[in-house]
Amino acid sequence: MFHWLEKRPFFFAVAVFVVIAFAGLIEILPNFAQASRPIIGAKPYSTLELTGRLVYIKNNCNACHSQLIRPFKSETDRYGHYSMSGEYAYDRPFLWGSKRTGPDLMRVGNYRTTDWHENHMMNPPEVVPGSIMPQYPWLFKNVADLDTAYAEQLVIQKVFAVPYNTELPTADGSKVTVKLADTLEGARAEALEDAKVVAADMKNQDVKDAIAAGNVPEIVALIAYLNRLK
Amino acid sequence: MDIATLQAYGFFFFTAFLVAILYGYIYHLYSSQKKGKRDYEKYGNLALNDDINDPLVEEKSRDL
Amino acid sequence: MENRPLEYDYTVAKLFMYNAIFVGLAGMLAGVVLAWQMAFPQFNYVLGMDLAEYTNFGRLRAIHTDSVIYGFVLSAIWSTWYYVGQRVLKVSMAESKFLMFIGKAHFWIYIAASLIIVVSMQLGITSSKEYSEFEWPIDAGIVILWVLWGISIFGLIGIRREKALYISIWYYIATFLAVAMLHIFNNAEIPTYFLTGGIGNWYHSVSMYAGTNDALVQWWFGHNAVAFVLTTPIVAMSYYFLPKESGQAVYSYKLSLLAFWGLMFVYLWAGGHHLLFSTVPDWMQTMGSVFSVVLILPSWGSAINMMLTMKGEWQQVASSPLIKFMVMASTFYMFSTLEGPIQAIKSVNALAHFTDWIVGHVHDGALGWVGFMVIAALYHMAPRMFKREIYSKSLMTTQFWIQTLGVILYFTSMWIAGITQGMMWRAHDEFGNLAYSFIDTVTVLHPYYTIRAIGGTLYLVGMAMFAYNMYKTMTSSRVVEESELQNATPMGA
């Protein structure tokens, strides 16, 4: 049997492939139909928020922070309601992480403010004595890449039918609409308006100057993203 | 039957099938070695006598 | 053509060997910097605040993992493939100009891809998926690379003289097929630039999967990338190099058959253990947990086969540092393939997940099993490629003990750190409130992070000794005759 296979490389390779592919076929494929439906209250990311998400990814925040609250009392006490599959329906890629060098961030928007993030990102140990998180001063200088985020929005709207410009239900019964501009200029202008709201709560002079000049610093986009994690 | 039930049945019977194959195979290996039908252990020499001029363990014949 | 006797041609194997040694040093240096950063955050700014964007933990982390996995280990795998492949098939690369060209193209495209990866990780161009951080242009390059390796494998097999494929070849084939499958499915992504008529960065892409599905595919990949880059090819090495170096045929060829097919079937199921208590369906989590425990059997099948190969020959462990490396590697293999399933048990995982215990587990496998086996394989091959004896046996022995001490410091400190932190996260006071704030559970780890950094530094020192020993072996140690290269590797004092 296998003795026969070892002398026939082609059939050997086919046999190996069938055996290793079997698990994926049974385990992963059938669940694709079920697992990506959004929960009530889930909404797509706005241009500024998605830009912030890309900043989060660019700096590999997910190397030290999870976004997955497990259903234990100790976790729900610390971070809030445990995670549900439908909450992640608009997360491409997922950012669960695999290590909690720092705390979970799944619902950080519920208990941290713009002001807190601003001070913390500039110098973490000043806000949390004993913190081993590095400082992120360059986020205050670098200009965020709104265009790439907008391109990503267009693609997910087209390919995965992500509901932009659509009324979506929320948990308290009200409706919410996440706008997606028709043009790149429109998207930039919208993101800048959102950024002004965030920057209004910030003190850093570089940030204020950049916003005044019509640019969005990475830190503003990142905070917009963190604030919406709820 | 929904897809999950099908999956469960499919999985169970395929695994049972593979377990049967595995044990049958173990039996086959050891009995054919014992009866002298086949010598598996000689293939260990593939690693030991691996100089290009060493004798072949089993020559690759043309008809394969 | 001049009339020379046919010999094995190690040109390509040598190229990959140089790269393995160089990237091994660089990747582990990055790891040691990361370890010190966690103990003392000032190390995030080693090159000054202006360059902190490129030297901080987040950016360096991917460079460390990718360079040791895909730089150090993969180079070593390919070096051994271009060595072992010829020998057990009894065919020389010199016999086929085509395969020689493919081999060289394989190497140089790999080097180009590696350089692009380092630059892109430094700039933060990443898809965020662990061990698969590369954006789509690099992913496409990896496909080309992989196809070239495939041509090399099946090309060499096609012109072989031995009819039967040796155990090691099975594992190389499995590595090739499985990684191809995993890479293609996990990196299913849509380039945004082209679909939008040129908006944003041209290299950006968005994943085909969302949320829970994305996690499922990623950890099916993540777990099995470990299986098929850090396990099966290393098993391939141990099935060849341990018997060859010790002069003992593998203990049981039949057991190796069973262990191989068992491992192929079981390994792919176990990925779910990375997602316990997450939002993937429960039955999948249970499946991941159960199969992880079953996985002990085929893993130990190979490891026990290695140990029994040494039956009656244990004096070789005392006399040869090379055998020491391989036996210690097999021991660590047994150890980490027992530790892994324990961590995959749900109640243990509830404590261990997200903590440093997982990091410790990865490293006793990576440093103890993979690192040691790779080091032994390169030490065995060098004298045969360069026709010179190993430069220094005593340096090699010293390296062995320094690195062993390093690994022990590493995993013991991470055990304590992980379990301490896991216990503190879940501790409640008498009123049912959380007993510790998060920062309490960070500051308590400082001594363990320091010990880990020392352990990692020791391992890196050992690597430097290895690189020096190899350099001297290649360039200036005593020239040996073919007859001295039969089994035990010749070594200078």
Side-chain angles (χ1 to χ4, degrees), chain C residues 87-125:
Chain C
R87 297 190 68 107
V88 299
L89 298 168
K90 287 209 182 81
V91 57
S92 169
M93 292 275 285
E95 292 176 72
S96 167
K97 280 205 173 68
F98 172 70
L99 287 179
M100 187 58 100
F101 170 76
I102 293 287
K104 284 179 180 163
H106 178 192
F107 177 78
W108 288 110
I109 293 177
Y110 168 70
I111 292 296
S114 304
L115 292 174
I116 295 170
I117 286 172
V118 171
V119 172
S120 78
M121 291 300 114
Q122 278 284 327
L123 296 176
I125 300 167

Side-chain angles (χ1 to χ4, degrees), chain A residues 84-124:
Chain A
M84 288 173 290
S85 187
E87 296 183 88
Y88 297 114
Y90 303 116
D91 281 13
R92 290 171 194 272
F94 80 114
L95 292 173
W96 295 1
S98 60
K99 175 81 195 340
R100 268 184 202 151
T101 303
D104 190 274
L105 298 179
M106 172 110 190
R107 304 190 196 286
V108 68
N110 285 334
Y111 47 88
R112 296 288 186 233
T113 59
T114 300
D115 177 50
W116 189 92
H117 285 305
E118 181 185 11
N119 293 322
H120 186 251
M121 297 300 290
M122 202 49 145
N123 193 0

Side-chain angles (χ1 to χ4, degrees), chain B residues 30-48:
Chain B
Y30 283 82
S31 73
S32 40
Q33 174 101 34
K34 207 167 181 182
K35 288 184 208 142
K37 265 204 321 214
R38 218 170 243 159
D39 179 14
Y40 290 98
E41 298 308 330
K42 73 174 177 196
Y43 296 110
N45 292 328
L46 284 171
L48 289 187

Side-chain angles (χ1 to χ4, degrees), chain C residues 196-228:
Chain C
T196 53
I199 299 178
N201 282 325
W202 63 273
Y203 48 74
H204 184 69
S205 66
V206 57
S207 174
M208 290 277 281
Y209 320 113
T212 304
N213 284 340
D214 200 34
L216 205 54
V217 177
Q218 159 61 21
W219 284 111
W220 173 71
F221 166 90
H223 174 73
N224 297 306
V226 172
F228 288 92

Side-chain angles (χ1 to χ4, degrees), chain B residues 2-61:
Chain B
D2 63 347
I3 187 144
T5 325
L6 274 176
Q7 252 176 303
Y9 276 113
F11 172 75
F12 179 80
F13 286 109
F14 197 79
T15 307
F17 171 71
L18 285 172
V19 169
I21 293 214
L22 177 69
Y23 278 88
Y25 182 50
I26 294 175
Y27 175 77
H28 162 80
L29 279 180
Y30 283 82
S31 73
S32 40
Q33 174 101 34
K34 207 167 181 182
K35 288 184 208 142
K37 265 204 321 214
R38 218 170 243 159
D39 179 14
Y40 290 98
E41 298 308 330
K42 73 174 177 196
Y43 296 110
N45 292 328
L46 284 171
L48 289 187
N49 305 326
D50 64 346
D51 197 81
I52 201 144
N53 300 314
D54 280 340
L56 297 173
V57 175
E58 223 171 55
E59 197 176 349
K60 185 186 170 199
S61 56

